[in-house]
Amino acid sequence: MTHTKTVELEGHIIDSGTMGRCFGLVMDLGGEFEVEAFDVGRHKEEESYCRLRVSAPNEERLRSILHELHQNGANLSDPVDATLDPAPADRVVPTGFYSTTNHPTQVRHAGEWLDVERIEMDCAVVVDPDGPRAYTATLNAVRAGDLVVTGEAGVRVDPPDRPRDGGGPFGFMQGGVSSERPSRSLIERVAEALVETKAEGGRILVVAGPAVIHSGAGEALARLVREGYVDALSAGNGFAVHDLERAIYGTSLGMNIETLEHPRKGHKHHIYTISEVIRAGGIEAAVEAGLVEDGVMYECVVGDVPYVLAGSIRDDGPLPETITDAVEAQNAIREQAHEADMVLMLSTLLHSVAVGNCLPSTTKVVCVDIDPATVTQLLDRGSSQAVGMVTDVGTFVPTLAETVLD
């Protein structure tokens, strides 16, 4: 017995490759499809429409195909209200709960489509019928009795379309990783995007690793903070320690960045730095006391730029401001991510993936690392909107600051 369902695709489905991708998914998963309707957009702004009748030899196979199609923006043509089941206990979701993508999503409740608030990947969707409203909840945030969406019926996903003409300040952000792209011209496009984001009142989040300081790019990043092109900073204990060590001792990991010399006892500078900052009462207190007079953390304190330092088990110290509770750190990063309109990820694999997991697919992302695997892993995790630059962050950040500010 053949099982069938009809799905619809709308938008720039040809330019984005969505239609071809959906065709391939059906065939790869052992199903068949018939195109019942296909209207091609004939102008740049005009969208296309495709209705597919999808069939499979059994219910389970069809369900698997529909799941993959749904992730790519194909929605059932005869929507019903989403199925809501109460969470049986705190942090326990109903079996078969709907796990979100990072794309804009709606759920159907009482015959109306509700936008899912604070969308990010790998979350549950909770519906408050009194609103009515729908919002994402991480598993540890689900509470007993919450009405959780189960299954994919009554859920609509809208992946962002690729610009047809590639124009505009964000036109270059179409995903992918390459070391073959002309770095200077791409940096100019990133600079244009930064300026445009600020001009429109948007917020820029920088996710930075210790290599930014160790490569000599800290001064340029500090300048971007000082000039108002960084609205929030997400980093780890190591980044802050390197930056503060540079401000106090002129070294990073014991090396003088300008001369590349290793002063006597320089290898102890990072732990001395942590000790001095703890003694002062924290980073802000160290700035107020004159112990720290420049650097990225200094500019964040002076300019009242919020920062999150997420800790790990390998941290020395750590600094007083470093958040050592993993769940608390996740929540702090999540708040930053949801407020960001553009994100610069600079040479940090773990923090880039952590922040990327919290971002909706509508947020512009630029990931820079000398290692292609860092950028590839970010895209593989689902941040398909990111553009990757495989280049030295020590060259990228100063060039970016020069392009934006000079």
Side-chain angles (χ1 to χ4, degrees):
M1 178 180 177
T2 301
H3 296 258
T4 63
K5 282 287 185 180
T6 302
V7 299
E8 297 175 320
L9 289 162
E10 294 182 83
H12 296 294
I13 56 177
I14 301 174
D15 307 293
S16 298
T18 302
M19 188 173 67
R21 189 161 55 250
C22 288
F23 288 174
L25 282 170
V26 176
M27 293 184 287
D28 291 344
L29 294 174
E32 297 181 352
F33 67 87
E34 178 183 348
V35 177
E36 295 186 336
F38 183 32
D39 298 325
V40 181
R42 302 181 184 277
H43 306 286
K44 288 183 178 180
E45 296 79 16
E46 190 175 352
E47 298 181 343
S48 299
Y49 169 83
C50 181
R51 186 170 70 246
L52 292 178
R53 184 176 177 84
V54 181
S55 59
N58 55 63
E59 186 81 28
E60 183 178 353
R61 181 72 58 83
L62 180 62
R63 189 161 48 245
S64 297
I65 294 173
L66 292 176
H67 170 78
E68 294 299 328
L69 291 176
H70 179 79
Q71 304 294 298
N72 285 274
N75 300 296
L76 293 174
S77 61
D78 53 345
V80 296
D81 282 356
T83 301
L84 305 179
D85 291 319
D90 289 353
R91 302 175 63 187
V92 180
V93 291
T95 301
F97 78 99
Y98 175 78
S99 178
T100 58
T101 69
N102 60 350
H103 301 313
T105 302
Q106 294 179 315
V107 296
R108 187 178 173 91
H109 175 70
E112 296 183 5
W113 288 101
L114 306 177
D115 291 328
V116 178
E117 301 169 10
R118 298 172 66 83
I119 191 67
E120 62 179 273
M121 67 177 71
D122 300 333
C123 290
V125 176
V126 176
V127 173
D128 176 5
D130 294 333
R133 58 185 289 256
Y135 57 93
T136 57
T138 58
L139 297 190
N140 61 35
V142 171
R143 294 294 174 259
D146 282 351
L147 296 179
V148 179
V149 175
T150 57
E152 290 166 340
V155 180
R156 189 160 64 187
V157 176
D158 183 22
D161 287 324
R162 175 184 301 171
R164 178 168 294 187
D165 58 3
F170 293 131
F172 70 101
M173 294 185 181
Q174 298 177 5
V177 184
S178 175
S179 57
E180 302 299 324
R181 295 175 178 174
S183 294
R184 181 74 197 199
S185 61
L186 193 50
I187 291 174
E188 290 174 354
R189 302 295 296 276
V190 175
E192 181 184 353
L194 284 177
V195 173
E196 184 73 16
T197 299
K198 294 304 298 180
E200 294 176 351
R203 291 180 59 82
I204 297 169
L205 169 63
V206 169
V207 185
V212 173
I213 307 301
H214 200 57
S215 65
E219 184 176 340
L221 180 56
R223 188 182 176 202
L224 286 170
V225 176
R226 183 168 60 252
E227 297 298 330
Y229 283 93
V230 177
D231 298 290
L233 173 71
S234 179
N237 186 73
F239 171 86
V241 171
H242 279 31
D243 178 68
L244 295 167
E245 177 191 339
R246 172 78 172 80
I248 297 173
Y249 293 101
T251 60
S252 174
L253 278 181
M255 182 187 73
N256 186 299
I257 295 173
E258 280 74 30
T259 66
L260 303 183
E261 295 176 349
H262 291 266
R264 185 172 178 272
K265 294 187 177 181
H267 63 287
K268 298 183 178 181
H269 284 176
H270 80 285
I271 202 69
Y272 289 165
T273 296
I274 295 170
S275 175
E276 291 302 312
V277 173
I278 292 174
R279 181 177 291 110
I283 297 173
E284 184 174 350
V287 170
E288 293 174 349
L291 177 66
V292 176
E293 297 182 333
D294 56 24
V296 178
M297 302 311 300
Y298 171 86
E299 296 296 346
C300 285
V301 171
V302 172
D304 198 26
V305 174
Y307 56 86
V308 171
L309 303 179
S312 73
I313 59 174
R314 68 185 184 276
D315 287 337
D316 290 323
L319 293 165
E321 286 85 352
T322 299
I323 304 173
T324 56
D325 183 290
V327 174
E328 182 183 348
Q330 284 181 357
N331 290 335
I333 289 173
R334 184 167 285 111
E335 291 299 318
Q336 287 186 317
H338 281 287
E339 293 179 358
D341 298 288
M342 182 175 177
V343 181
L344 287 180
M345 298 177 172
L346 307 174
S347 289
T348 171
L349 171 59
L350 296 180
H351 286 271
S352 294
V353 171
V355 174
N357 287 350
C358 301
L359 293 172
S361 61
T362 51
T363 303
K364 309 302 183 228
V365 179
V366 178
C367 182
V368 181
D369 203 290
I370 197 67
D371 184 0
T374 297
V375 191
T376 300
Q377 185 164 339
L378 176 69
L379 269 64
D380 287 347
R381 280 287 300 140
S383 300
S384 57
Q385 81 277 22
V387 60
M389 290 188 63
V390 181
T391 188
D392 176 21
V393 74
T395 300
F396 173 83
V397 179
T399 305
L400 178 66
E402 176 186 337
T403 306
V404 170
L405 301 172
D406 293 343

